């Protein structure tokens, strides 16, 4: 068998879900596995970011397990099976790559993206709004980026970068006004506008806002851990000035990372 391990894995998952299989696996549903799907995908991304191929191989297996489990559950419910999933993906890939499987003449990566979007729009002709199809479960920054990209495709865009900066600064002013009212709901709304505006600034410069924030998180965590190593007393006893000096020392020892 060419894909002996894959075929055996499919059988292992089927066996786990069998009446005499694993009690935990048998209890699972699409809904109970929802969090697992998200967590396994993020762990695979962590392995990619760390350039750890051994870890990536393991995490991709965990992602594959989620696909197999959902497909097995759907098969038991009479909805679809793994072969249906594979066929739909195969057909979609062939349809969206006419320059590979057809006679379309597309030479650049940008051209491929444009053609992909046009073909996708044809497939999703039932969608009425440009905003249709955005996942409600994905990270907020990722959603903001997708919403922004969809809007600019129909011309909803700032005329220049200066106008975008003006928008961002106005959102900060509106947030300051909301804080004076001490209205938490209004403050939350205005803070959301600040985040959305800055995501647009990232898009303007072709920066992935989600990745940028993840890197900032890691950088802060690394510096803070170094501060803990350098501290000569409990951090709770440090004054602001001492904290600031310790932060700068940690930054210097990490070569300004």
């Amino acid at each position: 068998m060419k894909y002996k391990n894959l075929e055996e894995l499919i059988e292992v998952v089927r066996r786990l879900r069998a009446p005499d299989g694993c009690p935990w696996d048998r209890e699972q549903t699409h809904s109970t596995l929802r969090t697992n799907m998200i967590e396994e995908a993020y762990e695979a991304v962590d392995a990619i970011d760390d350039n750890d191929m051994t870890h990536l191989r393991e995490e991709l297996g965990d992602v594959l397990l989620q696909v197999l489990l959902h497909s097995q559950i759907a098969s038991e419910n009479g909805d679809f099976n793994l072969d249906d999933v594979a066929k739909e993906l195969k057909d979609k890939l062939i349809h969206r790559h006419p320059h590979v499987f057809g006679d379309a003449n597309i030479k650049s990566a940008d051209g491929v993206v444009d053609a992909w979007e046009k073909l996708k729009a044809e497939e999703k002709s039932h969608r009425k709004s440009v905003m249709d199809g955005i996942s409600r479960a994905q990270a907020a920054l990722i959603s903001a980026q997708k919403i922004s990209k969809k809007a600019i495709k129909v011309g909803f865009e700032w005329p220049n970068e200066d106008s975008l900066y003006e928008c961002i600064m106005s959102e900060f002013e509106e947030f300051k006004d909301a804080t004076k009212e001490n209205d938490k709901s209004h403050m939350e709304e205005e803070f959301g506008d600040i985040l959305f505006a800055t995501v647009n600034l990232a898009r303007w410069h072709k920066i992935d806002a989600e990745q940028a924030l993840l890197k900032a998180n890691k950088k802060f965590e690394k510096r803070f851990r170094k501060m803990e190593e350098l501290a000569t007393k409990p951090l709770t006893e440090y004054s602001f000035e001492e904290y600031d000096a310790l932060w700068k020392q940690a930054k210097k020892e990490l070569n300004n990372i």
Side-chain angles (χ1 to χ4, degrees):
M1 292 185 291
K2 187 175 182 181
Y3 297 107
K4 177 176 181 292
N5 288 314
L6 179 58
E7 292 175 5
E8 289 179 352
L9 174 61
I10 293 169
E11 177 57 25
V12 166
V13 172
R14 187 202 66 76
R15 179 73 178 80
L16 290 172
R17 291 278 304 176
D20 59 343
C22 171
W24 185 89
D25 286 282
R26 283 185 43 75
E27 288 182 358
Q28 302 314 303
T29 66
H30 293 305
S31 296
T32 62
L33 290 170
R34 178 184 181 279
T35 301
N36 300 59
M37 176 73 82
I38 295 170
E39 289 179 351
E40 300 300 355
Y42 273 117
E43 288 176 12
V45 171
D46 282 342
I48 292 171
D49 290 343
D50 294 338
N51 196 31
D52 186 336
M53 294 301 102
T54 300
H55 189 201
L56 179 58
R57 180 180 63 198
E58 176 188 354
E59 296 304 336
L60 288 176
D62 291 342
V63 172
L64 177 58
L65 174 59
Q66 297 306 306
V67 175
L68 296 178
L69 279 170
H70 282 286
S71 298
Q72 180 60 33
I73 292 169
S75 178
E76 293 164 9
N77 294 338
D79 298 321
F80 59 82
N81 58 32
L82 182 62
D83 193 58
D84 297 324
V85 173
K87 181 181 185 305
E88 186 163 332
L89 176 58
K90 177 202 68 176
D91 292 345
K92 179 165 63 177
L93 289 174
I94 291 173
H95 181 243
R96 293 190 189 176
H97 291 82
H99 53 294
V100 177
F101 301 102
D103 55 6
N105 185 22
I106 304 173
K107 298 299 184 182
S108 69
D110 287 342
V112 171
V113 172
D114 290 341
W116 178 283
E117 291 298 331
K118 289 177 183 176
L119 290 166
K120 183 177 179 180
E122 292 174 7
E123 296 169 3
K124 312 291 184 179
S125 59
H126 59 283
R127 292 178 176 173
K128 304 302 180 185
S129 170
V130 172
M131 296 296 161
D132 286 347
I134 296 174
S135 171
R136 297 185 301 275
Q138 65 191 0
L141 278 180
I142 296 175
S143 286
Q145 290 176 144
K146 289 193 174 182
I147 290 169
S148 177
K149 288 178 180 178
K150 282 178 173 284
I152 65 168
K153 284 180 181 177
V154 293
F156 194 80
E157 175 68 297
W158 280 267
N160 51 56
E161 189 174 359
D162 285 342
S163 63
L164 178 50
Y165 277 114
E166 289 172 8
C167 173
I168 293 171
M169 296 313 297
S170 70
E171 297 298 353
F172 275 102
E173 290 301 320
E174 290 176 17
F175 178 75
K176 287 170 66 177
D177 290 340
T179 62
K180 294 173 184 176
E181 301 169 4
N182 199 28
D183 183 337
K184 291 294 184 183
S185 177
H186 189 196
M187 288 164 61
E188 183 181 68
E189 177 186 349
E190 297 301 341
F191 190 75
D193 289 344
I194 291 172
L195 293 175
F196 190 82
T198 53
V199 163
N200 276 278
L201 180 61
R203 174 189 54 76
W204 190 277
H205 290 282
K206 295 181 169 39
I207 293 170
D208 186 310
E210 180 78 8
Q211 287 302 309
L213 183 55
L214 285 172
K215 288 179 180 178
N217 290 346
K218 289 180 179 179
K219 181 169 65 176
F220 182 89
E221 181 183 346
K222 193 170 185 178
R223 286 183 186 172
F224 199 88
R225 288 179 183 276
K226 177 56 70 173
M227 286 174 60
E228 291 175 320
E229 291 177 16
L230 296 171
T232 56
K233 59 182 178 180
L235 290 177
T236 53
E237 296 179 9
Y238 274 69
S239 66
F240 174 79
E241 290 74 17
E242 290 174 319
Y243 248 128
D244 187 52
L246 191 61
W247 176 264
K248 289 175 181 175
Q249 184 183 354
K251 183 177 179 181
K252 183 178 180 180
E253 295 209 8
L254 290 169
N255 297 318
N256 293 317
I257 291 177

